[in-house]
Amino acid sequence: MSENYSNNKTCVVIGASHAGVNFAFALRKEGWQGKIILFDKDPTLPYHRPPLSKAYLTSKDAIEKNVLKSQESYEKDNIILQLGTEVSSINRLKKTIVLHDGTTQSYDKLVLATGARPIIPSILGIEEASNLFPLRTAGDVENIRNSLAKSQHKRVVIIGGGYIGLEAAASLKKLGATVTILEREDRILARVTTPEMSTFFEDLHSNNGVEIHTNKNVISIKTSEGLNTIICEDNSTFKSDMIIVGVGIKVNIELARDAGLDINNGVSVDSTTQTNDENIYAIGDCTFHYNTHYDRFVRLESVQNAVDQAKVAAAAICGKNATYDAIPWFWSDQYDVKLQMVGLSTGHNKVCVRKEESENTKFSIWYFKDNTLLAVDAINNAKAYVLGTKFIKNQKRIDTSKLVDPFVDFKPANLVVES
Amino acid sequence: MAKITFITTENKSIILEGTTGSLMQLAVDNSIPGIDGDCGGVCSCATCHVHVHPEHVEKTGEASEIETDMLELNDHYNEYSRLCCQIEINEKLDGVVLQVAESE
Ligand SMILES: Cc1cc2nc3c(=O)[nH]c(=O)nc-3n(C[C@H](O)[C@H](O)[C@H](O)COP(=O)(O)OP(=O)(O)OC[C@H]3O[C@@H](n4cnc5c(N)ncnc54)[C@H](O)[C@@H]3O)c2cc1C
Ligand code: FES
C-alpha cells in the first residue's frame, strides 16, 4: 500500500465492543490516515464485558470505571464514535451502510464486529415473567442490580449453567441472594467444558450455598403479583422473584447474511479476517474462522479472539502480511476461584490431573490427543496455565508421569521429553 | 495525585498524572504503547507487564504470587516485573518510573 493510500478513505466498523474498539485503535497504529467511524446501538461508552457477571456486578461502580478506552482516547486518535446508532443494512454495490433512521454512510473498508446477543428461549409465559433479565450489556447489569436492591426475598433462579450463569450465581450470592441454577443438560458447563471441570464447579457452588439442578428443562413460567413459578418438563417447580437467562448466545449475522456474505455458524472469514467481499472484514464473536493450530473451523466467544482478530484485520487492511494464528485462551472468576483455560480440548483421548500441595484448591487438568497436548484448564494455578500455553505453542512432548507428580517442580525442563 | 513516568519500548518517557484506579488503567487511557489491559485488570492476560525502576520497588510493593506465575516464563521477565493492573494509584506512588516490557 502506498503511503497515503488511506488518506481520503473511510473505514466503517459496525459494533464497538472488544473487537470493534480494539480494531479501531489498531488500525490507527498501523498507519491508516483516513476516517474511522465506529457504530454501536448501545448508547454507553464501550466497556469490558467480562466483569459484568463478576466484579462489576457486585460493585457499586459506575460503568465509567470499566470502559475499554476513555472518551479522550477516541478523540486523540480521531476515531468517530456513533453510539446509540443501529445499523440496518449493508449495500455492497454502493459500498454504503444504512442506519436505523434511513441515513447512509459510505465506506471503502467495512468491518463487522457485531458479536452476539443472548438467546431468550421461547418458554411459555416468559414474556410476562417478572424481573427477568439476560446478562450481556451494562444496561442488563443496571437492571439486575436495581431489581435485586428492591427485592425483599431476593430469590433468584438462573436458567442455564454456563460460565455466565455460574459467575452471576457467585456474584448474586455475594450480594445476599438465594440462588438456584436450572440446567437442561445432565451437567453444568456441558457445552463448553469436560465432565471433570463440571464436577468441580458443581461442588464449588454447592459448597457456597447455590442450589444446582441438572436435567431441568424449563417449559413454562407463571407469574402473579411479582412472584414467578418456573415449571420444568418433569413437573418440578421453582419459585423466584428474579430470573436470569443464561442459555447461550445467538450470533448477530443478519446484516452479513442479508448482504449475501457467506455464513456458516457465523460470518465466514479467511485467515486475514476477510469475508467473501474483499472490502468487508469480520472479527470477534460473530466470526466463523479457521484455527491453524487445531486445523479446523471454529467460532469462539472470548476477549482473546476478539482482540487478536482485531489486530489481524487492522494489519490486513493496511496492506500488511497478517494471519490469524492464535491459541485460544479464556478465564472465569467465581468466588475465590480463578479458572484459566488455554487451547481447545475437543478431540482429546487422555486426561491428566495434577494437584498441587497447597492449602487452597490448586490443580490443573491437561488434555491430550495421544501424545499431543491440546488444552489445559488451570484452577488457581497461573503457573500451569502459562506452562500449558508454552507447551501447546512449541508442541513439546510431555512426560505425563512427571506432570501428575506434585513433587516434581513445575518447570519446563522437568516435564519436557527431549526428542 | 501521583506523577508516574512510563518509558516505552522505544525509550520514550511519558509522564502522566493519576489519582485513582490502577496503573494499567492510567496507561490505557493515555494509550501507552505496549500496555493493552485486555482482561480489564484481573491477572488473566499479562498485557500490562512493566519493570518497576529498581529504586521504586519499595513504593509499588512486590509482585504477588499470581503475577510472578503469569510472568516468570516470559522472555522479558526480571525481578522488577509487575502486572501494573495490580498496582493501585495513590500519593505514595508519586515519582515512580516504569519501563514497559517488550511483548513476547
Ligand atoms: C457477562 C459476560 C461475561 C464474559 N466473561 C468473559 C471472560 O471471562 N473471558 C472472556 O474471554 N470472555 C468473556 N465474555 C465474552 C466476551 O465478552 C466476548 O467474547 C466479547 O465481548 C466479544 O466481543 P465482540 O466485540 O466480538 O462482540 P460483542 O461484545 O458482542 O459486541 C458486539 C457489539 O456490536 C453491536 N451491534 C451488533 N449489531 C449491531 C447493529 N446492527 N448496529 C449497531 N451495533 C450493533 C452490539 O451492540 C455490541 O455492542 C463474557 C461475556 C459476557 C456477556
Ligand atoms: S490487565 Fe490483564 S493481567 Fe493486567
Side-chain angles (χ1 to χ4, degrees):
Chain A
M1 183 170 79
S2 73
E3 269 284 291
N4 295 321
Y5 159 84
S6 59
N7 251 348
N8 309 311
K9 308 265 172 189
T10 299
C11 181
V12 166
V13 187
I14 309 176
S17 180
H18 288 273
V21 169
N22 276 288
F23 165 79
F25 284 89
L27 189 67
R28 264 300 170 243
K29 213 162 137 197
E30 293 287 358
W32 178 268
Q33 300 192 352
K35 267 194 183 161
I36 303 175
I37 313 175
L38 278 170
F39 288 95
D40 203 298
K41 61 174 176 246
D42 193 326
T44 317
L45 191 65
Y47 46 86
H48 286 273
R49 276 191 215 285
L52 296 184
S53 48
K54 310 181 183 79
Y56 180 70
L57 180 55
T58 55
S59 76
K60 292 199 167 74
D61 289 347
I63 199 69
E64 289 71 39
K65 278 212 145 179
N66 200 26
V67 296
L68 289 169
K69 293 274 184 181
S70 62
Q71 181 84 53
E72 301 84 72
S73 311
Y74 295 92
E75 286 157 18
K76 216 157 95 194
D77 273 18
N78 199 8
I79 293 165
I80 302 167
L81 258 182
Q82 300 269 10
L83 300 174
T85 310
E86 183 163 3
V87 177
S88 311
S89 64
I90 302 167
N91 186 330
R92 285 167 58 195
L93 282 178
K94 290 192 186 149
K95 287 173 72 180
T96 57
I97 60 165
V98 181
L99 309 181
H100 63 126
D101 63 359
T103 55
T104 58
Q105 166 66 51
S106 64
Y107 65 82
D108 295 286
K109 298 287 174 191
L110 177 65
V111 175
L112 304 175
T114 49
R117 61 183 180 276
I119 294 172
I120 305 292
S122 50
I123 294 168
L124 193 70
I126 199 163
E127 307 272 337
E128 292 80 39
S130 176
N131 298 316
L132 177 137
F133 310 104
L135 208 182
R136 181 127 190 135
T137 66
D140 294 334
V141 175
E142 185 75 22
N143 292 337
I144 292 169
R145 280 182 184 170
N146 289 342
S147 169
L148 192 74
K150 278 192 222 131
S151 172
Q152 192 189 350
H153 300 295
K154 302 193 195 307
R155 284 165 301 187
V156 184
V157 162
I158 298 176
I159 304 179
Y163 284 117
I164 293 177
L166 296 182
E167 289 173 356
S171 299
L172 292 166
K173 194 75 202 164
K174 194 170 166 191
L175 292 172
T178 305
V179 184
T180 305
I181 297 174
L182 303 179
E183 167 58 51
R184 188 179 60 182
E185 305 298 321
D186 59 4
R187 61 182 174 98
I188 55 170
L189 300 172
R191 191 174 59 93
V192 287
T193 192
T194 55
E196 289 83 358
M197 291 306 286
S198 296
T199 307
F200 170 74
F201 279 105
E202 269 195 62
D203 294 345
L204 176 70
H205 282 272
S206 301
N207 293 340
N208 280 282
V210 168
E211 260 187 50
I212 296 184
H213 299 273
T214 53
N215 292 311
K216 292 293 178 195
N217 188 19
V218 176
I219 52 165
S220 69
I221 302 172
K222 285 199 177 118
T223 304
S224 102
E225 290 172 18
L227 181 69
N228 300 306
T229 304
I230 296 143
I231 303 154
C232 301
E233 201 171 24
D234 62 2
N235 287 324
S236 53
T237 60
F238 298 87
K239 302 242 184 268
S240 86
D241 310 296
M242 281 171 69
I243 300 174
I244 296 189
V245 183
V247 299
I249 52 127
K250 218 174 145 91
V251 185
N252 292 325
I253 49 145
E254 290 76 3
L255 287 178
R257 186 198 55 206
D258 296 348
L261 297 175
D262 287 346
I263 305 290
N264 200 332
N265 180 27
V267 183
S268 289
V269 292
D270 67 12
S271 59
T272 69
T273 75
Q274 197 175 47
T275 66
N276 57 311
D277 180 323
E278 63 170 344
N279 294 311
I280 306 182
Y281 292 71
I283 55 179
D285 277 19
C286 71
T287 66
F288 187 64
H289 60 272
Y290 180 69
N291 187 293
T292 323
H293 198 86
Y294 294 89
D295 189 22
R296 61 193 167 87
F297 286 86
V298 289
R299 186 175 57 72
L300 298 173
E301 296 157 29
S302 76
V303 166
Q304 168 275 320
N305 180 58
V307 173
D308 287 341
Q309 284 192 323
K311 289 178 186 156
V312 171
I317 287 175
C318 288
K320 298 183 182 160
N321 270 336
T323 48
Y324 183 62
D325 179 19
I327 295 167
W329 55 266
F330 186 81
W331 76 95
S332 176
D333 297 320
Q334 297 166 40
Y335 310 105
D336 53 356
V337 165
K338 182 170 203 75
L339 163 68
Q340 291 175 280
M341 310 166 57
V342 57
L344 300 172
S345 62
T346 316
H348 70 271
N349 54 17
K350 184 171 157 188
V351 176
C352 292
V353 180
R354 175 176 167 123
K355 286 199 166 72
E356 309 302 326
E357 298 279 304
S358 149
E359 64 261 43
N360 64 336
T361 315
K362 191 171 181 181
F363 67 95
S364 50
I365 306 187
W366 298 64
Y367 304 96
F368 295 86
K369 179 162 199 265
D370 306 323
N371 289 320
T372 308
L373 178 63
L374 293 182
V376 178
D377 290 344
I379 294 289
N380 295 329
N381 197 340
K383 201 175 253 183
Y385 165 77
V386 171
L387 268 175
T389 307
K390 283 241 163 206
F391 291 155
I392 295 171
K393 243 182 217 159
N394 308 337
Q395 304 189 332
K396 294 283 189 213
R397 235 184 102 175
I398 298 165
D399 183 332
T400 50
S401 61
K402 288 186 179 152
L403 173 68
V404 297
D405 182 351
F407 295 104
V408 173
D409 214 10
F410 228 1
K411 283 195 183 130
N414 296 344
L415 304 174
V416 171
V417 180
E418 291 306 336
S419 46
Chain B
M1 198 174 61
K3 263 203 175 97
I4 312 285
T5 305
F6 284 90
I7 304 173
T8 68
T9 52
E10 279 160 4
N11 257 328
K12 223 172 98 191
S13 286
I14 302 169
I15 301 173
L16 301 174
E17 285 177 0
T19 44
T20 57
S22 73
L23 289 178
M24 178 278 284
Q25 283 162 324
L26 181 70
V28 169
D29 281 347
N30 291 281
S31 302
I32 301 289
I35 305 287
D36 295 339
D38 289 339
C39 77
V42 295
C43 291
S44 297
C45 69
T47 64
C48 64
H49 181 190
V50 297
H51 298 136
V52 177
H53 190 286
E55 282 165 22
H56 300 155
V57 173
E58 220 171 289
K59 293 186 179 182
T60 58
E62 307 264 325
S64 62
E65 185 186 335
I66 184 167
E67 289 177 63
T68 310
D69 285 348
M70 284 296 282
L71 293 171
E72 216 169 26
L73 293 180
N74 188 295
D75 294 343
H76 306 285
Y77 173 77
N78 68 28
E79 60 188 301
Y80 306 110
S81 284
R82 292 290 312 261
L83 293 173
C84 70
C85 64
Q86 298 306 301
I87 307 174
E88 282 296 308
I89 300 174
N90 59 40
E91 310 233 309
K92 250 181 41 200
L93 290 189
D94 192 38
V96 161
V97 177
L98 309 159
Q99 170 85 48
V100 178
E102 299 267 352
S103 59
E104 263 187 309

